[in-house]
Structure formats: C-alpha cells, structure tokens
Amino acid sequence: LASYWLVSTWHGHADRTDLNELREFNVRPLLLHHCVVQSNVGEFLDKAWMKGLSVVVELQPQLFLEPTTGCFVTGFDCYERIKVAYRQMLNASGIWSDGKYHPAVQALLLARDPVALAATLGGFGSHAALLGIVSAWDGVLGAEMDMGVARPVSLDITVLLPMALPSSTTAADACFRKKASQGGCAGSHSLRAMYVAAWQEPGFMRTLDLPDLTRRGFWPPDSTARMEEAVYVPHNDVFSSFLSRWVQMFPGSPSLDEIVTYLRQFQEFLPSEYAESGGKHKSLVELNNPWN
C-alpha cells in the first residue's frame, strides 16, 4: 500500500550556489532516498529517527491506476478507495500508534504527477486529476478520523506536481492578478489550481435548505463526461487541512527565481486572512536519483 523515502538535508553541488538564499525563503533543500522495507516498518522508522532522519510515506500508484479498481480508472472519486487503504496502513504499517504518527514520519505523498496519470486514462485534464487528489486527501482524513488520530495532526501532506499546468489563462490575464476571494484564477500555476480544487465546504457544513448540496462526492453526480465543470464536495474539511498541512515539493531542480516567483504568486492568490500561514507551503525536494 505504500513505499518509503528517507529524507536528509541536501548540501548541493558546484552548480547550485543558492542554498543559503533558499533557506532565507524558508525553503528546505532535501534529498530523498528510496528504501525497500520488506517487513517491520516500525523498526525501520525507529532506526531512521535514531539517526536523525525523517521519512516520507508514498501511497502506491496502483491505488489510483489498477485496472477496474483504481480510483482514477473508475471516475476519479478516490474517497472510499483511499480511506480503506489508508486505514489498513494505519492498522498494520507501524507509522501510527496510540493516536499519533511515528515521530520519524514527516509527510504523506499522495501521488507523483497525478496530472500525467490522468492524461494516460483517456486524456483527462489537470482539473480531473486535482479533484481526484482532493478526494484522496478526503479519504486520508476519513481514515484518520476513524482510527482516532489525535488533533492537531503532525503529518504534512503533499503531491508532487509540475510547477506549470496546461491552462487557457496565463499570468498576463487580469484574473491572475486577483486574489481567489476576488474572482482570481489559477492560470497554469499548479498550487493555485490545487487551492481551487480543494476550496469546497464539506457536505456536513452546507445549508439544509439546499439538500442537493449536502451530497458528498463529485457534483454533478455523473461528472465524467464533463469533468472540467465538476466540483468535489468532501466528507471532511479538506480545505482547512490543505491550509494547515500542505508542504510544497518541487520536482527536479528549479532555479531560485522560479521558486520565489512560484511561491510569491501563490501568496498573492491567498485571501488576506490565510496569507500569513503561507510559510507552511514551502519545501524544496532536490533529487539526485530518479523516482522509481
């Protein structure tokens, strides 16, 4: 159900001289090492913790892509699939006990480039992929609730997204210069698009005067044919969790200017009441090995 990545501080190389500047922007240069854990995950986490290392837990891609049962294959509503799988992980993997995550576990990686995964399934666009990820996040929250994980939750959540998504709008359009609360648009900015996808009140918070809107899941119910117009109504408060638990991972090796521009454009998009919490959204993953 999961794979594991050891995380250590990355000290750069001769061609990367901006690590100090990155840290000034609260960006942490990290190095991920893929680990094959055959049996006792708890023992592996204990050893990592004793050596001063942390761990990123990654959900297996098969949960999204397995024929007939993968939630991207069956319509992008990943809530039940991920909730059941993550509850099994919490029961058996050793990453959690007595209501708390193991202190070595730093983050949960929901998926690597779900936009590319969605494109392989009949050419679905980035909006479908992001709604699928929001529903998967909803499933994680549901499993945590069922298992009694203590609040506030120490585990960060992330998705490895490209910095830019296909979009009909660009940074030059007027809507891109507005905050989300003022009708601003995401454009090609992937983290803005993630914010837009997550921005839905959960069904239990919606007015009973509009019973259709209390429905959880994709809306309209049969959204596959017109996925770009769909929204996902969560069972849990995914939006608040996104604001408090999201950590940004940058794939590859973007330049300092690219990172700063990306983070600044996201901060400009946030409503004023959320902008002060934006420091949580900053983390650089610098890789010297392929994801495999």
Side-chain angles (χ1 to χ4, degrees):
L1 296 174
S3 57
Y4 299 87
W5 299 84
L6 271 176
V7 182
S8 60
T9 300
W10 188 72
H11 298 290
H13 49 67
D15 295 331
R16 187 97 201 198
T17 60
D18 56 4
L19 296 191
N20 287 334
E21 289 87 348
L22 287 171
R23 293 185 182 97
E24 289 178 6
F25 287 95
N26 198 25
V27 176
R28 296 169 292 157
L30 304 175
L31 186 65
L32 268 66
H33 312 266
H34 190 231
C35 299
V36 178
V37 183
Q38 298 289 354
S39 54
N40 194 327
V41 175
E43 182 178 334
F44 162 72
L45 295 175
D46 289 342
K47 290 181 178 179
W49 181 245
M50 293 297 293
K51 293 181 180 294
L53 300 172
S54 54
V55 174
V56 171
V57 179
E58 178 191 4
L59 296 183
Q60 289 286 18
Q62 289 90 332
L63 293 170
F64 300 91
L65 295 177
E66 190 170 17
T68 71
T69 60
C71 56
F72 273 26
V73 176
T74 57
F76 293 96
D77 189 342
C78 295
Y79 174 75
E80 287 293 343
R81 173 77 160 151
I82 299 302
K83 180 181 178 180
V84 170
Y86 198 65
R87 195 163 49 199
Q88 291 173 350
M89 281 179 57
L90 292 177
N91 267 324
S93 69
I95 68 171
W96 169 88
S97 65
D98 298 327
K100 296 182 179 180
Y101 283 102
H102 192 287
V105 180
Q106 174 179 333
L108 173 67
L109 175 60
L110 294 177
R112 280 183 268 156
D113 201 353
V115 176
L117 298 182
T120 66
L121 301 171
F124 286 99
S126 58
H127 185 64
L130 294 179
L131 291 182
I133 289 300
V134 169
S135 68
W137 194 317
D138 195 19
V140 168
L141 297 182
E144 289 180 339
M145 185 73 69
D146 288 352
M147 299 297 292
V149 175
R151 300 293 195 266
V153 183
S154 59
L155 183 73
D156 295 327
I157 298 179
T158 190
V159 182
L160 194 63
L161 293 168
M163 295 176 72
L165 302 175
S167 174
S168 59
T169 59
T170 69
D173 291 306
C175 67
F176 193 83
R177 296 190 291 273
K178 297 180 180 179
K179 291 185 176 296
S181 55
Q182 300 168 345
C185 59
S188 63
H189 195 289
S190 57
L191 187 51
R192 283 181 168 213
M194 185 70 192
Y195 176 101
V196 172
W199 186 76
Q200 288 290 330
E201 283 188 332
F204 68 84
M205 293 176 61
R206 291 169 179 253
T207 174
L208 295 179
D209 294 333
L210 299 171
D212 285 346
L213 293 182
T214 65
R215 181 188 185 277
R216 278 76 155 175
F218 276 83
W219 188 260
D222 184 16
S223 301
T224 307
R226 50 188 190 280
M227 184 63 75
E228 295 307 310
E229 302 172 9
V231 298
Y232 176 79
V233 179
H235 302 68
N236 305 280
D237 196 350
V238 175
F239 184 63
S240 293
S241 178
F242 169 74
L243 292 173
S244 63
R245 298 176 66 178
W246 176 267
V247 168
Q248 178 67 27
M249 284 191 172
F250 294 100
S253 186
S255 70
L256 175 63
D257 287 346
E258 289 173 325
I259 292 169
V260 171
T261 298
Y262 183 88
L263 295 176
R264 176 178 53 78
Q265 288 176 339
F266 181 67
Q267 292 299 309
E268 292 172 348
F269 190 61
L270 284 174
S272 301
E273 62 267 31
Y274 300 131
E276 294 302 318
S277 66
K280 188 71 172 179
H281 297 257
K282 303 174 186 178
S283 178
L284 170 67
V285 174
E286 183 62 60
L287 305 175
N288 71 347
N289 59 318
W291 292 76
N292 53 35

